Amino acid sequence: MNNTGEKITIVDYGMGNIRSVQRKFLELGYQAESVDNYEAVMKAEKLVLPGVGHFANGVKNLKSRGLWDAVNEKVIDQKTPVLGICLGLQLMAKHSEEGDVEGFGWLDAEVVHFDVKDKLKFKVPHIGWNSAIASKTNAFTKDLNPENLYYFVHSYHLVCRIEAEILGVTNYEYDFHSIAGRDHIIGVQFHPEKSHEAANDLINKFALFKRV
């Protein structure tokens, strides 16, 4: 087992693929647990915010379960490293068109619906395998293989307003921001837990990430 001295804590707010995310970390040799309460989140040393589904429902679930303030405090006040997956990435934005709801606001970004012109060739939702090309090198995207393919399932995507927060882009008729973050915060629009070996390097970098 990889022993980083830190557990990976996966926030379970009732929005999707918690078990498959946990299984992925376990397969790579890390300690990983899913939690659904304030006290457990506050003990976390590394957080994963997964999610599948509607943005507004994600916000509602986090708040109704008493997890919103805990996650925000850990990430902003305590600088706990966090990985957002799919909806988890989108929740890091300031606002989403999906439900017209505010997110955590960790990233200066908006979540918008795909605006494809060729609706026959580019179906929405965007489902299937696609690349994510690093646009900025940091601790998470260093040596990211541009030939890797990752699994996507989404109808909305991030639009970052600050160039420094754009870490990777994917093309689906047009380029959209598929990896974003800053400092100890990183989010990916694709599903690393469903992307086989392609995402292992990124997961390892997050699991082994050390705060400066």
Side-chain angles (χ1 to χ4, degrees):
M1 171 176 287
N2 292 303
N3 184 7
T4 66
E6 294 178 284
K7 276 187 178 179
I8 308 299
T9 299
I10 304 162
V11 183
D12 181 358
Y13 58 104
M15 297 291 289
N17 52 330
I18 305 299
R19 294 293 170 257
S20 58
V21 173
Q22 182 180 20
R23 191 180 310 115
K24 183 68 171 181
F25 279 95
L26 292 174
E27 286 174 355
L28 292 175
Y30 298 105
Q31 300 178 67
E33 61 177 357
S34 63
V35 303
D36 61 2
N37 62 83
Y38 181 97
E39 292 76 15
V41 169
M42 293 305 296
K43 295 177 182 177
E45 294 174 304
K46 284 195 173 75
L47 283 173
V48 176
L49 186 64
V52 175
H54 196 280
F55 189 100
N57 290 340
V59 172
K60 179 182 178 181
N61 283 12
L62 282 162
K63 290 184 175 180
S64 67
R65 297 179 182 213
L67 297 169
W68 182 271
D69 290 340
V71 171
N72 200 46
E73 182 178 340
K74 289 294 292 181
V75 173
I76 298 303
D77 296 339
Q78 298 186 23
K79 309 298 183 188
T80 301
V82 60
L83 169 64
I85 297 173
C86 195
L87 177 59
L89 162 66
Q90 295 179 6
L91 288 167
M92 296 177 174
K94 287 187 173 181
H95 178 266
S96 175
E97 289 182 352
E98 189 177 29
D100 189 22
V101 180
E102 292 184 356
F104 282 109
W106 303 336
L107 303 176
D108 189 355
E110 174 90 3
V111 179
V112 303
H113 194 272
F114 268 111
D115 184 22
V116 298
K117 307 305 179 188
D118 187 345
K119 294 180 173 21
L120 291 177
K121 183 176 180 180
F122 297 95
K123 304 289 187 182
V124 178
H126 170 213
I127 300 176
W129 299 87
N130 209 332
S131 60
I133 309 300
S135 54
K136 181 177 183 292
T137 299
N138 72 353
F140 303 113
T141 60
K142 182 181 179 183
D143 300 323
L144 192 69
N145 188 344
E147 296 183 1
N148 282 349
L149 296 178
Y150 309 95
Y151 191 74
F152 289 81
V153 184
H154 62 121
S155 297
Y156 291 77
H157 65 80
L158 211 66
V159 177
C160 295
R161 300 187 183 96
I162 298 177
E163 186 175 352
E165 294 182 350
I166 304 168
L167 302 182
V169 299
T170 295
N171 186 273
Y172 194 65
E173 190 180 69
Y174 58 85
D175 286 347
F176 68 89
H177 304 149
S178 56
I179 309 176
R182 58 181 176 85
D183 305 319
H184 58 292
I185 298 168
I186 183 171
V188 295
Q189 184 60 66
F190 54 83
H191 287 273
E193 77 282 5
K194 296 181 179 180
S195 298
H196 307 309
E197 294 182 2
N200 288 359
D201 183 54
L202 190 145
I203 291 174
N204 284 328
K205 285 173 181 173
F206 172 73
L208 300 171
F209 177 76
K210 298 297 182 183
R211 288 159 288 181
V212 177

